[in-house]
Amino acid sequence: MKNWFESLAPRERQLVLGASIVLVIGLFMQLVWGPLNEAEQNARQKVNNQQQLLTWMNEKTAEYQQMKRQDRKAVNGSLSQIVSSAARSSGISLSRMQPQGDSLNVQLDEIEFNKLVRWMADLTQNKGLTIEAIDVHAAEQSGVVRVRRLQVKK
């Protein structure tokens, strides 16, 4: 190859050298620079997508927390007021209510089990209360229970 290159005229040598340089630069651009540039653009796009996702999640988190605060504010009054008004609206008569620290013990003589479950769901889901303990016993009638103790907390 060296002999062939030296046998060329000086102008031809310059032309081959120039073409070789252009070929090396072209190969470098095609094989090295192009993939690096594409990978960098893909990485920027991924970062942009992740930033958009983070922004969206922060907005939704703020909305959720605001809704949660509004739900808590919607239920005003003392614990006994909330429980008794929920019982009245559900058609339940309370036998006894006794405050115990920051919770309230409720006693019901006889109630349909399904009605009790719906009322407890209303207390927890709509009124924001927590049921800490319950002591239920079957009554003589089928589907009816006695609640000796239902401990509710705000």
Side-chain angles (χ1 to χ4, degrees):
M1 183 113 160
K2 187 176 181 183
N3 290 337
W4 170 79
F5 183 73
E6 288 176 358
S7 69
L8 296 175
R11 255 195 135 140
E12 290 174 336
R13 280 188 219 151
Q14 288 176 348
L15 185 64
V16 168
L17 279 174
S20 298
I21 291 172
V22 169
L23 179 67
V24 167
I25 290 173
L27 285 173
F28 174 77
M29 294 295 286
Q30 188 71 19
L31 299 176
V32 177
W33 187 259
L36 284 176
N37 192 28
E38 187 176 330
E40 187 253 347
Q41 286 177 350
N42 289 341
R44 284 182 193 265
Q45 184 63 37
K46 284 182 182 178
V47 167
N48 188 26
N49 291 344
Q50 293 296 321
Q51 286 175 337
Q52 288 176 352
L53 178 62
L54 178 64
T55 301
W56 179 82
M57 288 179 70
N58 286 336
E59 289 171 359
K60 295 303 173 190
T61 301
E63 286 177 24
Y64 170 75
Q65 289 174 347
Q66 182 180 6
M67 289 172 67
K68 195 174 179 182
R69 281 191 295 270
Q70 287 174 349
D71 284 347
R72 285 190 182 151
K73 290 177 185 175
V75 180
N76 291 334
S78 69
L79 185 57
S80 60
Q81 288 174 334
I82 295 168
V83 171
S84 62
S85 69
R88 267 192 313 275
S89 65
S90 296
I92 297 173
S93 63
L94 304 175
S95 301
R96 183 175 170 202
M97 287 194 311
Q98 180 179 2
Q100 186 177 20
D102 60 346
S103 62
L104 180 70
N105 286 333
V106 178
Q107 186 175 2
L108 305 166
D109 283 336
E110 288 189 354
I111 183 172
E112 292 177 27
F113 179 75
N114 291 336
K115 196 174 195 180
L116 173 66
V117 170
R118 283 191 299 273
W119 180 59
M120 290 190 319
D122 179 49
L123 290 175
T124 57
Q125 294 170 358
N126 299 331
K127 308 295 186 222
L129 303 180
T130 304
I131 296 177
E132 293 184 319
I134 186 167
D135 184 10
V136 180
H137 295 279
E140 293 177 15
Q141 191 178 0
S142 177
V144 177
V145 294
R146 284 191 187 104
V147 180
R148 291 187 183 162
R149 182 175 147 244
L150 174 65
Q151 189 171 352
V152 183
K153 185 176 182 180
K154 213 172 192 183

